[in-house]
Amino acid sequence: MSAEFGGRSGRQSRLSQWLRGRRPKPAADEGGREALLLAAADAGLPLAPAAHPAPGYRCSCDRVGCPTPARHPVSFAWQTQSTTERAQIERWACHQPQANFITATGMVHDVLDVPLDAGREALTRLLDAGVEVGPVAESDDGRMLFFTLTRGTPEDEDEWWPCELDCHPETMDEHPGLRWHCRGSYVLVPPARLPGDDDRSVHWVRGPEHPLPDPLSLLEYLTDSCARHIGEQSDHPGTAWPLRR
């Protein structure tokens, strides 16, 4: 009987080892993804999970012909879902290892979003002039993102002022030049992957450890660079400001 018990125990032990070996291993945190996300949250940027690239320049969402593949939140409730809570972000990063993340603007920070060449020129001029510049990200789809303090949460709601540059996800095409992401908008936060087979990404040029500046201190430099660079393009002459329809 003891031999039978020992044999059964041995088989169970081998079965347990086999089952343990078949369990999926946690995905490696390539490039310190979780650490970068937590650093953004620690800087006050509220985060929420977003879609990620799928093979063939497709999106991980189930929408046929998604117009913004890998660039939109997973949940329609992204504004209320967005958080800086470390434990929640760690859970999302662990359970959704391929997900990009967005940061909701107009709560703590805004983002001034400009064409890449104009942004690089403006960044050089700003630093040379000694202007305080906060976090800056580059997107390999040709944009540069300047993170600033928000104008979206005045103490008195009557002091809220809309701006012609205000941009929302559904109005991107109207803003080929400078886009001001404030209330009701979002951007991808680094590290994020873009569709395609060439490892395109959104990545920090200046990390979230830099304090958020007043957006108005950057605006003149950015609009000037946008007007110059976009004015040289034949498709949208002079469209540093929104297009009219």
Side-chain angles (χ1 to χ4, degrees):
M1 182 173 178
S2 60
E4 180 184 354
F5 179 80
R8 184 182 304 166
S9 176
R11 286 195 299 273
Q12 288 176 339
S13 176
R14 288 194 296 273
L15 178 60
S16 298
Q17 291 174 1
W18 182 79
L19 288 172
R20 283 197 297 270
R22 289 180 60 87
R23 288 178 182 171
K25 296 180 180 179
D29 186 19
E30 297 180 5
R33 168 177 173 264
E34 184 175 313
L36 287 170
L37 292 172
L38 291 173
D42 288 344
L45 311 186
L47 307 183
H52 61 82
Y57 204 86
R58 293 186 298 109
C59 184
S60 61
C61 73
D62 56 5
R63 183 177 179 183
V64 177
C66 175
T68 55
R71 295 176 176 86
H72 62 83
V74 171
S75 172
F76 288 115
W78 56 270
Q79 291 190 71
T80 54
Q81 186 185 50
S82 297
T83 183
T84 59
E85 183 186 344
R86 291 178 65 91
Q88 179 61 68
I89 292 166
E90 288 172 344
R91 285 193 293 270
W92 282 333
C94 178
H95 295 300
Q96 302 180 53
Q98 297 187 72
N100 287 334
F101 279 75
I102 59 96
T103 179
T105 54
M107 299 179 184
V108 174
H109 72 292
D110 290 352
V111 171
L112 300 175
D113 169 357
V114 299
L116 184 57
D117 289 341
R120 286 174 172 171
E121 177 192 284
L123 179 59
T124 299
R125 292 176 58 213
L126 285 161
L127 294 176
D128 288 347
V131 178
E132 290 189 10
V133 180
V136 179
E138 280 191 7
S139 177
D140 289 337
D141 60 359
R143 307 292 298 186
M144 182 172 269
L145 311 176
F146 290 78
F147 289 71
T148 71
L149 292 169
T150 187
R151 71 174 210 280
T153 54
E155 292 184 7
D156 183 348
E157 187 62 22
D158 290 338
E159 295 179 0
W160 159 253
W161 47 278
C163 175
E164 191 176 22
L165 297 171
D166 284 346
C167 179
H168 299 90
E170 64 274 10
T171 64
M172 291 286 197
D173 292 342
E174 299 175 24
H175 298 257
L178 176 57
R179 303 167 180 169
W180 193 326
H181 298 272
C182 189
R183 288 184 176 184
S185 191
Y186 58 81
V187 298
L188 286 176
V189 67
R193 295 179 298 124
L194 300 176
D197 299 325
D198 50 359
D199 295 324
R200 297 191 308 160
S201 68
V202 181
H203 47 274
W204 290 117
V205 176
R206 290 169 55 86
E209 69 275 9
H210 295 281
L212 295 169
D214 185 328
L216 298 182
S217 66
L218 311 184
L219 199 56
E220 181 180 352
Y221 291 86
L222 293 174
T223 54
D224 182 57
S225 292
C226 283
R228 179 162 45 256
H229 280 265
I230 298 178
E232 295 171 357
Q233 299 177 9
S234 58
D235 290 343
H236 298 295
T239 50
W241 299 85
L243 297 173
R244 294 297 187 187
R245 290 186 173 181

